[in-house]
Amino acid sequence: MSLVRALARPMLASSFILSGLDKLRRSEETAQQLSPVLSRVSAALPVQASERTLARILAGAQVGAGVLVATGKFSRPAAVILALTAGLGTVVEYRSAATDTKEGKAHRRSQLAKNIGLLGGALLVSVDTAGRPGIAWRAERLLESGKKTATKKIQNADKSVRALAHDVTGQ
């Protein structure tokens, strides 16, 4: 891992981890903020789950994914989880922010810009291969290798069949 990645990932993840811990501590308030979304999710689930439980799961996922990104373990899938939670949080915070004063509007705008920046950082981590080939590249190489192997096997089989036919016919 490069020095930049070793420093930047924990720095980015710290915001998500602290936010997730705060949401865990204040799960009742988090459930109220996320109520429009969580009520739909709760109704769609095959098991009974309260909005508070779903808020805790969401916050726990954010903390866990943040830790994974910070440590560089499973960072791409973890970053996708962070991007989803950041997107959800951004929408909810933007909709529920106070806009009745000039300061409230300015705070809402700065929070939106900060959240969009964090969302962008999480998206960058979700596509960062850390210098290693990505899954798409690996799959492409595997297919090419399979095609080459299959072509060689077919050519060898063709030579064997022709040799056998030559032996049988005696020519």
Side-chain angles (χ1 to χ4, degrees), residues 2 5 9 45 57 62 76 117 151-152 156 159 161 168:
S2 73
R5 281 187 187 94
R9 286 183 183 211
L45 290 175
I57 290 169
Q62 191 171 5
R76 292 175 72 190
T151 302
K152 286 181 182 177
N156 289 339
K159 285 180 185 176
V161 168
V168 169

Side-chain angles (χ1 to χ4, degrees), residues 62-82:
Q62 191 171 5
V63 171
V67 169
L68 289 173
V69 167
T71 59
K73 305 294 181 196
F74 302 105
S75 57
R76 292 175 72 190
V80 170
I81 292 169
L82 291 180

Side-chain angles (χ1 to χ4, degrees), residues 5-56:
R5 281 187 187 94
L7 294 174
R9 286 183 183 211
M11 291 168 70
L12 175 66
S14 66
S15 178
F16 290 105
I17 293 169
L18 292 174
S19 175
L21 289 173
D22 187 44
K23 288 176 184 174
L24 275 172
R25 281 190 210 109
R26 299 179 305 124
S27 61
E28 190 65 41
E29 186 180 320
T30 302
Q32 283 179 338
Q33 281 182 330
L34 298 175
S35 181
V37 175
L38 294 182
S39 61
R40 292 180 190 153
V41 172
S42 180
L45 290 175
V47 294
Q48 186 70 10
S50 69
E51 291 177 10
R52 186 173 181 188
T53 302
L54 291 174
R56 285 179 177 167

